[in-house]
Amino acid sequence: MSKKIPKSTKVIVIGGGVVGCSVAYHLAKFGWKDTILLERDQLTSGTTWHAAGLVSQLGPTAAITKIRKYTLDLYKKLEKEVDHSAGLRLNGALSIAQNKGRWQELQRQATTAQLYDVDVRILDKNQIKKDYPIINTDDVIGGILMPGDGAADPSGVTHMLAKAARKEGAQIFEKSPVDEILIKNGKISGVKVYGQEIECEYIVLASGMWSRQIGEKAGVSIPLYPAEHFYIITEPIQNLSKTLPVIRDFDNRTYIKEDAGKILVGIFEGNSIPAWNDTNKVPEDFSFGEFQENFEHFEPYLASAIKRFPVLENAGIRKFFSGPESFTPDTNTLLGEVPEVKNFFVCCGLNSIGIGSGGGVGKVTAEWLINGHINEDIFSYDIKRFQKFHSELDFIKKRITETLGDLYGMHWPFKQHKTSRNIKTLPHHENLKSFGACFGVSGGYERPMWFALDGEKAEYEYSYNFQSWYPSAEYETNNTIKNVGLYDLTPFSKFELKSDKAHQELQKICTANIKNEPGKCVYTHMLNSDGGIETDLTVVCVEKNHFRVISSAATRERDKFHIKKHLSKDIELKDITDDLCVFGLFGPKSRDLIKTLSEDNFENDQFRFGFAKFITIDGVKIWTQRLSYVGELGYELYVNLKDTKKIYELLIEKGKDFNLSNCGMHAMDIMRMESGFLHWGHDISPEENQYQAGLSYTIGSKKEVDFIGKQALERIKQGKIKTRFSMFTLKKSEPGEPLLLHDEPIYKGEKIIGRSTSGNYSFNFKKNLVFGYINNDFSNEELQNRDLYIEVEKKKYPIELISKPLKQTNFKNG
């Protein structure tokens, strides 16, 4: 160590790649000057040094696009501020398509780009050939050009960020490996470097491919693992254009970029090779290392590249590179505070887009530490979207063989991974399978998405238009409103609080007035201090001072973390998600069916909507809630695991007399939209508040408790709401024409006034249905019968605003 490391500091950033340097810079820039960065070897060692350095502004969501746009703007700004080159070469980026599905995907990207002021130009094959004769366009349909994209020098960017961090007051120490992360009472207390303890309040683990094994030592689950990643650099090519854009040939899983008169050819193959298979550990001293050449693995992709770029045929190879790059289970980054240890943050798992996202993820991480929360819809990057099993070697090593390729694979709607499946199956899994269930993963569980009709395959056939599962969803939704549908809700997150302080604690963190009344169910939200919606859940009083909290499957770890964060130390939150299976029995005949199974009283005056009680079915005591996410009369049955298969089979057998149908999650999603129910992660997030989402009824009007976010809500209510939640239908509706998803621009005339958050086709009402947020400059009356459109794949479709849901829920008095 050339200079002495302080004995204490506020924050320690572990890792000196592009991401760690960005975090250190932003923390110091935002006022936390007491920040040090510890790098085990030298800055950029690990994976940053060998990155291809591509930068792209457009991401799959608004928040990720903001991260990428900010990154590029930051690099441009810092080059001038600290007088250090980032090696930016913004010659643009061209993505090409050779089949219909890819062309639709690219056009959807170009459409979404308009929401975020990203310059995207659509080119036909003739224009591509004219502008870029290097490309063989014989089988090309078209492409999209992003003129503001390009590449940067990874080393230049990292050292620029490090220089900026030092200028702001952060200290950086190279040759300073962290031997141990110190934890006291479940909270970060410091680290050890060369046996010396350094006290700190926070750490940010930005250690790239080492992050998983560092976390494992500290009892923290970090789901990433490195794969072998390949590119070649050719010998110099005569007359190669210096202004050639980065060209992505997704369908052949290759990209090229000009590199000092040479061409770099990189790949994102569909079946990658996990690194260090012999030891499963990243060596501590692997700093600027490379793997042995594996030309046999690379050759088929090179052959495709030569076909696309004939100039490569006679080019020699100067450098064959194979090095490690870490990937996550869903090819999204890992950010935020881990659930296991307080004040332990991560910023890693960049999935080969570290240079293009490094500036933005550093900013988000710094804001997260300083504010304690983030006011953006960043859940797709939050490490708490995963559970512990996701970092287990058997799971993660198999999964990354697929997820590396996902970067260039088709990003089909509703796509399911094939690797590392059947980790969590239901006790009645084989029963569901026998009825034709097509399974998807929800909260780690294999869960029916839809049930194949007679003679059909229970497999997805992916498309950007008509979905192969539409006939099943039509049958399931129709039967639910006419008879009764059986839905598996087991993956729903389920937590319990038992304490004489439980009620007052829930009152402190929930916006609704929670009732300490046995059997009472209350729909509510939990907010952050700025009024953003952190959770969307139901609180049920099982008995006095005994509460059950139920939320969505995907947010299990996140919601649990948020609740525990705000509970007093002497109150325990117990996760019982895996202890109970849950059946949703919904439809006008659900009461008649359940009455044949149980002698309990289910009449409306004895079992009202929003209440729950224990019932008995064939000697089995079952907690039953009269709730419904599909807008029909219905019951949720909470069954102990040991009794699940028996109860399922009884429901099926007795259900024959009431035309019961098994139903999947697609049917539920369609019906919740018909009923006007919002979904956290799509329609609401910390980016929205209850007033703009039309959910002010979940705020206890007579609640005197100063709950978290209450003061922010009062300020929001007094001010102007900038955007508001709205519902639309297409004037001309056919299933899959177009396929509505999310992030499609909403227009009034020629002006974009909002974006969609959810889309579905309602078979019950024969309408394409859209949820979204629009500028709050116009009243509903002003928008009625006006020129309103939604744009999909660069085509505008007339829509109309609807003031109430398609389906008027009838479950309260049914």
Side-chain angles (χ1 to χ4, degrees):
M1 294 181 284
S2 58
K3 55 182 177 177
K4 194 170 183 181
I5 301 175
K7 291 184 178 180
S8 66
T9 187
K10 190 174 187 69
V11 189
I12 292 175
V13 180
I14 304 173
V18 64
V19 169
C21 290
S22 176
V23 172
Y25 162 72
H26 284 96
L27 283 168
K29 177 74 174 176
F30 295 161
W32 283 19
K33 307 294 183 185
D34 201 6
T35 295
I36 67 172
L37 183 151
L38 302 175
E39 162 54 42
R40 47 178 291 285
D41 194 344
Q42 299 176 48
L43 296 185
T44 77
S45 62
T47 56
T48 295
W49 72 273
H50 64 68
L54 306 187
V55 291
S56 178
Q57 301 166 85
L58 189 61
T61 68
I64 295 171
T65 297
K66 287 178 190 174
I67 283 171
R68 294 184 183 179
K69 283 191 70 178
Y70 173 85
T71 297
L72 184 54
D73 291 342
L74 175 71
Y75 294 168
K76 292 175 183 176
K77 179 173 75 98
L78 286 184
E79 276 191 321
K80 298 173 183 176
E81 285 186 9
V82 302
D83 191 27
H84 191 106
S85 173
L88 289 171
R89 299 187 63 225
L90 304 180
N91 294 336
L94 174 67
S95 298
I96 58 176
Q98 70 176 53
N99 60 61
K100 179 188 174 185
R102 182 71 69 181
W103 185 225
Q104 288 180 282
E105 181 176 299
L106 293 182
Q107 289 182 97
R108 282 175 179 262
Q109 289 180 11
T111 304
T112 301
Q114 298 167 133
L115 292 167
Y116 314 119
D117 297 321
V118 176
D119 184 10
V120 177
R121 302 170 192 176
I122 295 181
L123 307 179
D124 62 26
K125 66 184 296 179
N126 296 326
Q127 189 66 49
I128 292 171
K129 188 64 181 178
K130 177 183 175 185
D131 294 346
Y132 310 107
I134 192 174
I135 304 174
N136 172 7
T137 59
D138 289 349
D139 59 352
V140 171
I141 298 175
I144 61 170
L145 175 70
M146 289 181 263
D149 288 3
D153 169 39
S155 179
V157 167
T158 306
H159 285 92
M160 176 186 72
L161 287 165
K163 188 175 181 181
R166 292 187 183 103
K167 184 179 176 183
E168 292 293 340
Q171 298 183 71
I172 295 176
F173 298 88
E174 296 181 279
K175 301 292 182 180
S176 302
V178 172
D179 302 320
E180 186 181 355
I181 293 170
L182 304 175
I183 300 164
K184 188 175 181 180
N185 298 324
K187 183 179 179 180
I188 288 295
S189 64
V191 302
K192 274 187 182 179
V193 178
Y194 290 123
Q196 175 190 330
E197 288 192 14
I198 309 167
E199 293 181 1
C200 66
E201 295 178 45
Y202 299 84
I203 67 163
V204 179
L205 187 63
S207 305
M209 61 184 174
W210 285 276
S211 298
R212 182 191 167 278
Q213 58 202 54
I214 292 173
E216 190 175 38
K217 285 182 184 177
V220 171
S221 170
I222 300 175
L224 59 75
Y225 195 85
E228 296 184 21
H229 196 38
F230 305 88
Y231 60 74
I232 63 163
I233 299 175
T234 69
E235 297 286 354
I237 293 177
Q238 192 172 4
N239 300 321
L240 184 65
S241 171
K242 300 285 186 185
T243 60
L244 189 71
V246 174
I247 302 172
R248 295 183 174 94
D249 184 5
F250 289 115
D251 295 317
N252 287 311
R253 298 185 174 274
T254 60
Y255 67 90
I256 72 160
K257 72 164 189 167
E258 189 272 339
D259 189 277
K262 305 175 283 292
I263 287 180
L264 182 151
V265 182
I267 67 171
F268 286 96
E269 69 274 32
N271 187 19
S272 71
I273 304 170
W276 291 291
N277 270 317
D278 50 346
T279 64
N280 296 323
K281 294 282 187 183
V282 182
E284 296 296 331
D285 60 352
F286 196 90
S287 295
F288 295 96
E290 301 180 30
F291 298 137
Q292 287 187 339
E293 291 186 7
N294 187 343
F295 195 76
E296 183 180 353
H297 184 78
F298 190 85
E299 196 277 331
Y301 302 98
L302 179 59
S304 296
I306 291 170
K307 185 178 178 183
R308 179 67 66 213
F309 307 102
V311 69
L312 293 171
E313 189 164 10
N314 298 313
I317 296 176
R318 171 168 288 191
K319 172 71 175 174
F320 183 102
F321 177 81
S322 174
E325 183 71 52
S326 58
F327 291 85
T328 64
D330 60 0
T331 329
N332 279 327
T333 298
L334 305 174
L335 300 183
E337 190 172 1
V338 303
E340 297 94 339
V341 180
K342 191 174 182 182
N343 293 351
F344 187 135
F345 282 74
V346 294
C347 188
C348 54
L350 273 290
N351 299 278
S352 199
I353 53 172
I355 306 303
S357 299
V361 296
K363 173 178 178 283
V364 167
T365 300
E367 290 172 338
W368 213 325
L369 265 77
I370 293 168
N371 299 326
H373 61 266
I374 200 79
N375 288 326
E376 293 184 71
D377 180 9
I378 206 78
F379 181 62
S380 61
Y381 272 16
D382 191 337
I383 190 170
K384 292 178 288 297
R385 69 190 184 274
F386 292 118
Q387 298 172 38
K388 272 197 175 294
F389 74 86
H390 287 109
S391 68
E392 292 173 2
L393 275 171
D394 190 52
F395 179 95
I396 190 64
K397 287 185 69 176
K398 288 176 183 174
R399 175 56 61 84
I400 68 158
T401 65
E402 182 178 8
T403 55
L404 181 149
D406 283 345
L407 282 170
Y408 274 31
M410 282 296 301
H411 302 99
W412 293 114
F414 318 110
K415 185 178 178 180
Q416 298 289 329
H417 283 112
K418 295 180 179 178
T419 53
S420 299
R421 292 292 297 271
N422 295 309
I423 305 298
K424 287 187 175 185
T425 56
L426 303 169
H428 50 294
H429 179 83
E430 291 302 319
N431 298 72
L432 295 166
K433 192 174 179 181
S434 71
F435 285 113
C438 178
F439 293 97
V441 178
S442 177
Y445 281 94
E446 295 291 331
R447 186 183 195 182
M449 302 302 294
W450 50 278
F451 287 82
L453 300 175
D454 292 343
E456 299 294 324
K457 280 187 177 180
E459 295 177 9
Y460 278 100
E461 294 176 15
Y462 296 119
S463 167
Y464 274 109
N465 295 106
F466 188 93
Q467 299 297 298
S468 61
W469 47 265
Y470 272 173
S472 293
E474 180 173 16
Y475 171 71
E476 292 167 22
T477 55
N478 286 173
N479 195 64
T480 299
I481 65 167
K482 291 175 182 175
N483 298 300
V484 59
L486 177 58
Y487 294 77
D488 204 294
L489 312 178
T490 300
F492 277 8
S493 304
K494 302 174 278 291
F495 315 114
E496 285 202 333
L497 282 166
K498 293 181 183 180
S499 168
D500 56 1
K501 295 181 182 178
H503 180 248
Q504 66 188 57
E505 293 281 313
L506 287 168
Q507 287 284 69
K508 183 182 72 177
I509 58 179
C510 296
T511 62
N513 197 13
I514 305 303
K515 304 292 186 181
N516 198 1
E517 176 186 341
K520 180 59 180 171
C521 308
V522 179
Y523 172 56
T524 187
H525 297 105
M526 296 178 183
L527 312 179
N528 59 44
S529 57
D530 295 317
I533 302 172
E534 291 284 344
T535 70
D536 179 69
L537 40 78
T538 299
V539 176
V540 183
C541 182
V542 179
E543 56 188 31
K544 199 168 180 65
N545 300 325
H546 174 190
F547 295 88
R548 184 172 290 165
V549 179
I550 302 152
S551 66
S552 77
T555 57
R556 177 178 177 178
E557 292 299 326
R558 189 184 186 282
D559 290 351
K560 180 165 55 175
F561 174 84
H562 180 83
I563 298 168
K564 290 173 73 173
K565 180 179 178 180
H566 296 289
L567 288 179
S568 300
K569 291 181 180 178
D570 57 345
I571 294 184
E572 181 187 359
L573 181 75
K574 186 179 180 184
D575 187 338
I576 61 165
T577 302
D578 299 330
D579 298 341
L580 298 168
C581 282
V582 186
F583 297 117
L585 207 57
F586 305 130
K589 296 182 181 179
S590 59
R591 178 184 285 126
D592 295 334
L593 168 55
I594 203 166
K595 284 166 67 175
T596 68
L597 290 161
S598 173
E599 294 181 2
D600 292 90
N601 194 329
F602 295 92
E603 296 307 319
N604 197 52
D605 59 343
Q606 295 297 311
F607 199 166
R608 290 178 290 147
F609 174 77
F611 280 83
K613 65 181 182 181
F614 280 108
I615 69 169
T616 302
I617 296 178
D618 199 25
V620 178
K621 191 178 179 183
I622 298 171
W623 180 256
T624 303
Q625 299 173 177
R626 190 175 158 195
L627 297 171
S628 170
Y629 194 44
V630 303
E632 291 291 328
L633 171 68
Y635 306 87
E636 296 175 355
L637 280 61
Y638 288 71
V639 186
N640 286 325
L641 238 59
K642 63 182 178 64
D643 300 313
T644 297
K645 194 169 184 293
K646 169 185 171 180
I647 296 301
Y648 175 81
E649 290 172 352
L650 276 171
L651 289 169
I652 291 295
E653 185 59 34
K654 291 288 186 182
K656 292 175 182 176
D657 296 332
F658 300 91
N659 293 320
L660 177 141
S661 60
N662 281 294
C663 300
M665 291 306 100
H666 288 308
M668 176 168 277
D669 195 47
I670 291 168
M671 295 191 74
R672 67 96 184 169
M673 287 189 69
E674 292 173 345
S675 304
F677 298 154
L678 280 63
H679 184 274
W680 196 96
H682 283 94
D683 311 308
I684 48 175
S685 73
E687 204 163 315
E688 290 81 33
N689 61 69
Q690 291 155 300
Y691 287 110
Q692 68 186 123
L695 295 169
S696 58
Y697 65 89
T698 63
I699 305 169
S701 58
K702 297 179 181 179
K703 185 174 178 177
E704 296 180 359
V705 178
D706 186 20
F707 58 83
I708 295 167
K710 185 175 183 178
Q711 294 177 35
L713 286 181
E714 289 171 355
R715 292 193 299 269
I716 290 166
K717 187 178 181 180
Q718 292 166 7
K720 178 176 170 52
I721 306 295
K722 293 181 180 179
T723 63
R724 74 174 187 272
F725 176 79
S726 299
M727 298 179 288
F728 305 87
T729 57
L730 266 65
K731 289 188 175 180
K732 185 180 179 182
S733 288
E734 295 290 337
E737 300 297 334
L739 181 67
L740 298 169
L741 298 168
H742 51 79
D743 288 322
E744 295 110 353
I746 297 170
Y747 287 81
K748 181 178 182 290
E750 296 299 314
K751 183 181 178 182
I752 294 176
I753 63 167
R755 67 178 180 92
S756 64
T757 55
S758 291
N760 253 316
Y761 184 80
S762 166
F763 297 96
N764 290 325
F765 294 88
K766 309 298 182 190
K767 287 183 181 292
N768 272 304
L769 182 58
V770 182
F771 286 0
Y773 285 85
I774 59 173
N775 298 339
N776 204 24
D777 299 328
F778 312 97
S779 67
N780 282 0
E781 290 74 21
E782 289 176 296
L783 293 177
Q784 294 290 349
N785 301 315
R786 294 301 175 96
D787 294 335
L788 298 177
Y789 304 92
I790 190 166
E791 187 174 8
V792 183
E793 294 175 23
K794 297 302 293 179
K795 181 180 178 181
K796 290 179 183 176
Y797 296 84
I799 59 175
E800 55 186 339
L801 181 74
I802 56 174
S803 58
K804 57 185 179 181
L806 293 179
K807 179 152 64 80
Q808 299 307 296
T809 53
N810 59 4
F811 46 69
K812 287 191 178 183
N813 299 311

